[in-house]
Amino acid sequence: MEYKKNTIYSLTIIDADMDGNGVGKLDGFPIFVKDTVIGDVAEVKLIKVKKNYGYGRLIRLIQPSANRVEPYCDVARQCGGCQLSFYSYPEQLRFKENKVKNHLERIGKVTDYLLRPIIGMEDPFHYRNKAQFPVGRNKEGKLVTGFYAGRTHSIIEHKDCMIGCRENKAILEVILKFMEAYQIEPYQEETHTGLVRHILIRKGYYTKEIMVCVIINGKRLPYAEELAERLKIFERITSIMVNCNQEKTNVILGKELITVWGKDFITDFIGGICFQISPLSFFQVNPIQTEQLYKKALEYAKLSGKEIVWDLYCGIGTISLFLAQKAKKVYGVEIVERAVENAKENAKRNQIENVEFFTGKAEEVFPAWYRKYQERADVVVVDPPRKGCEEGLLLTIAEMKPERIVYVSCDSATLARDVGILDGLGYRLVEATPVDMFPQTVSVETVVMLSHKNPTV
Ligand code: SAH
């Protein structure tokens, strides 16, 4: 039977793909449908038909699945940022656990390992310590902040994101009122005119300090002191800044920063270690789960105080400093120079002296260092970006023959690929723990431990 585009069919959702889309079948022909949950019976309009599968849009639920919940957010479908907001939280966790299991077993081809239950959150909302809201005018010309409607740059008004901090809404309202009072125009991408592009808000989880940073297409925000006066009603705001970005770009932040009021950073802690966070610093966005993740990484590293550890892709040195408390020496490698400077400052601030940081590509710095000094590591930790590790790096690690490798990953597919490669190089996957760093979304963080199949005693 032939299925036609723009025709409406009724469909039972029997599966979900890795991106959280429901999958139903029309006589065996798979149809992927966004915003549906396993168990839904739905009217679906076919929007694209390929040779072996198609895509449909949810038109109406005929019979909602027992696993479906009403999203906590009324713009969940339009925004698309929280792909799993239609799933109950236990179902979200089950989805992610399965995703990791499937990847490890299908791509990595591993079977004999322990998969620990995913570490979920007690309260899976309002966990993000950072938010960036675009500012613009909506279709009616009203000054708004919110999010870009799926794949476009038109803004849908929304100030109260379910995964962001509770303070965001009130802060955004003050800034919009200020812009209206002083006739400060929002930035318009098409014409590269107007001033205010984005508003960045960061909050320290333990310290509760808040930073507000207004990103402008210019060198100066007029009446900035007046804005500071208005924002000072929020006692917890300790830093008000302006960031200048006059480029025609999708990149949100520019390089130049102006401090309008207060400090030019906020402070926060991970596992008792203190970090200073500037608008430009990379800092994990879910502080509660970051601590869980690092604790697991530390447990997998099994440190006694005598070990030499490498932390590859170390960012601002968060994992390195966490591990240094239990190791003899930790070496960190990171490609972004500014992050390495932050890592060094963080070490100093916390009086941690048994760490050393290098700037460069992990796949270059680490092999070069090993060739030069021939010093073995006992444990190697890697935390690469989504694309995973370069094969050459894995080869050097295997050559160095550490007892254990701890792999922290934000993409279980590339993790599984690399676990498969390491298996061929003499490392067995012992244990894996998924961590829910990004509730409501399809992303899942995983930490695994591999150990050498024939350790040198
Ligand atoms: N471990 C840190 C950061 C992890 S994010 C934390 O938990 O906070 C991954 C980091 O890898 C980023 O900081 C990115 O800048 C860095 N990176 C990307 N490619 C790299 C490469 N080839 N070599 C070294 N670092 C790299």
Side-chain angles (χ1 to χ4, degrees):
M1 184 174 161
E2 195 163 313
Y3 298 102
K4 288 211 183 73
K5 206 174 141 176
N6 293 328
T7 312
I8 293 179
Y9 298 90
S10 64
L11 203 66
T12 303
I13 303 300
I14 52 166
D15 203 354
D17 72 5
M18 296 292 176
D19 298 321
N21 302 308
V23 187
K25 284 190 174 167
L26 288 172
D27 294 329
F29 187 74
I31 310 290
F32 294 84
V33 193
K34 219 166 129 302
D35 308 323
T36 58
V37 170
I38 299 175
D40 279 341
V41 182
E43 264 181 16
V44 168
K45 185 188 210 172
L46 276 196
I47 50 175
K48 201 183 250 182
V49 184
K50 299 255 188 181
K51 194 163 164 235
N52 298 316
Y53 57 91
Y55 292 99
R57 178 175 302 132
L58 172 65
I59 300 294
R60 184 175 75 90
L61 286 171
I62 300 168
Q63 170 97 53
S65 160
N67 291 329
R68 178 179 265 281
V69 294
E70 196 53 45
Y72 184 91
C73 167
D74 49 12
V75 289
R77 249 187 109 174
Q78 285 160 288
C79 167
C82 293
Q83 307 89 346
L84 298 184
S85 60
F86 304 95
Y87 282 74
S88 65
Y89 192 54
E91 284 299 317
Q92 291 184 19
L93 293 177
R94 200 151 60 174
F95 169 89
K96 295 189 191 192
E97 225 169 62
N98 271 332
K99 179 169 170 172
V100 172
K101 183 174 190 296
N102 274 329
H103 277 152
L104 285 174
E105 293 171 16
R106 288 190 193 162
I107 303 174
K109 306 261 185 299
V110 287
T111 43
D112 183 21
Y113 71 102
L114 180 65
L115 179 62
R116 294 265 177 207
I118 184 167
I119 302 176
M121 293 191 80
E122 226 163 83
D123 174 11
F125 298 108
H126 300 292
Y127 57 83
R128 282 186 67 100
N129 58 12
K130 171 181 160 183
Q132 301 174 119
F133 295 89
V135 184
R137 293 197 180 275
N138 68 4
K139 284 189 194 126
E140 290 77 43
K142 185 180 158 206
L143 186 62
V144 291
T145 64
F147 57 85
Y148 292 123
R151 293 196 205 147
T152 72
H153 268 199
S154 69
I155 299 173
I156 293 185
E157 184 171 12
H158 190 61
K159 302 190 197 90
D160 205 7
C161 175
M162 70 202 261
I163 59 173
C165 339
R166 295 176 198 275
E167 291 87 349
N168 290 346
K169 182 169 185 250
I171 294 172
L172 293 172
E173 278 168 0
V174 167
I175 300 176
L176 291 188
K177 273 215 176 108
F178 158 81
M179 287 176 65
E180 267 163 7
Y182 291 93
Q183 295 176 349
I184 295 173
E185 276 304 303
Y187 179 63
Q188 276 192 340
E189 209 174 22
E190 312 80 61
T191 50
H192 194 55
T193 55
L195 193 65
V196 177
R197 298 174 76 128
H198 274 86
I199 296 162
L200 162 72
I201 304 174
R202 295 187 101 152
K203 182 179 173 189
Y205 176 72
Y206 287 102
T207 58
K208 312 283 179 224
E209 292 177 0
I210 296 176
M211 163 184 285
V212 177
C213 180
V214 181
I215 296 127
I216 58 169
N217 170 42
K219 291 253 169 257
R220 201 183 131 257
L221 176 67
Y223 309 103
E225 295 72 30
E226 170 59 23
L227 174 64
E229 281 308 310
R230 291 180 179 214
L231 284 172
K232 275 194 248 166
I233 56 163
F234 301 100
E235 269 175 39
R236 286 176 171 161
I237 295 185
T238 53
S239 167
I240 302 173
M241 305 198 63
V242 165
N243 174 272
C244 308
N245 182 1
Q246 290 177 273
E247 304 289 316
K248 285 186 185 169
T249 168
N250 282 339
V251 178
I252 294 179
L253 288 159
K255 288 198 183 99
E256 198 185 326
L257 287 165
I258 303 165
T259 309
V260 176
W261 180 82
K263 296 185 232 163
D264 57 1
F265 58 86
I266 54 167
T267 307
D268 207 7
F269 294 86
I270 304 178
I273 300 174
C274 168
F275 293 92
Q276 283 188 355
I277 308 158
S278 98
L280 299 169
S281 312
F282 172 85
F283 198 68
Q284 294 278 0
V285 295
N286 183 334
I288 301 176
Q289 294 301 84
T290 299
E291 204 155 325
Q292 297 293 334
L293 179 76
Y294 290 180
K295 267 193 203 151
K296 223 14 172 195
L298 183 64
E299 178 193 320
Y300 284 169
K302 289 195 189 152
L303 301 177
S304 68
K306 296 192 204 115
E307 294 80 3
I308 293 184
V309 181
W310 280 80
D311 176 20
L312 306 175
Y313 310 89
C314 69
I316 57 166
T318 38
I319 296 182
S320 321
L321 297 179
F322 207 75
L323 299 175
Q325 298 168 309
K326 298 273 166 65
K328 181 175 164 204
K329 176 93 193 209
V330 179
Y331 297 101
V333 184
E334 161 61 44
I335 198 167
V336 175
E337 200 173 346
R338 183 74 196 107
V340 174
E341 283 165 24
N342 285 153
K344 290 179 182 167
E345 288 156 14
N346 289 330
K348 217 180 213 173
R349 184 169 310 116
N350 292 282
Q351 287 149 18
I352 298 175
E353 284 165 6
N354 56 335
V355 288
E356 202 172 321
F357 294 101
F358 303 102
T359 310
K361 290 185 178 168
E363 59 274 21
E364 290 172 4
V365 172
F366 180 68
W369 193 92
Y370 182 53
R371 252 158 239 139
K372 190 162 170 199
Y373 297 104
Q374 289 292 315
E375 184 188 38
R376 264 191 66 231
D378 300 289
V379 180
V380 173
V381 179
V382 296
D383 183 8
R386 300 192 74 89
K387 67 175 185 190
C389 296
E390 293 247 326
E391 198 165 346
L393 177 70
L394 300 176
L395 283 169
T396 310
I397 297 175
E399 208 182 302
M400 195 190 245
K401 220 176 162 194
E403 263 170 68
R404 283 175 295 288
I405 300 170
V406 179
Y407 195 134
V408 181
S409 157
C410 54
D411 185 331
S412 46
T414 56
L415 166 72
R417 178 200 68 203
D418 291 350
V419 162
I421 296 173
L422 286 166
D423 188 77
L425 295 170
Y427 282 87
R428 187 174 79 82
L429 176 65
V430 179
E431 208 178 297
T433 306
V435 179
D436 193 17
M437 286 278 256
F438 310 103
Q440 317 303 329
T441 78
V442 288
S443 298
V444 57
E445 198 84 11
T446 313
V447 51
V448 309
M449 194 249 279
L450 302 109
S451 79
H452 200 280
K453 293 177 189 171
N454 307 301
T456 24
V457 192

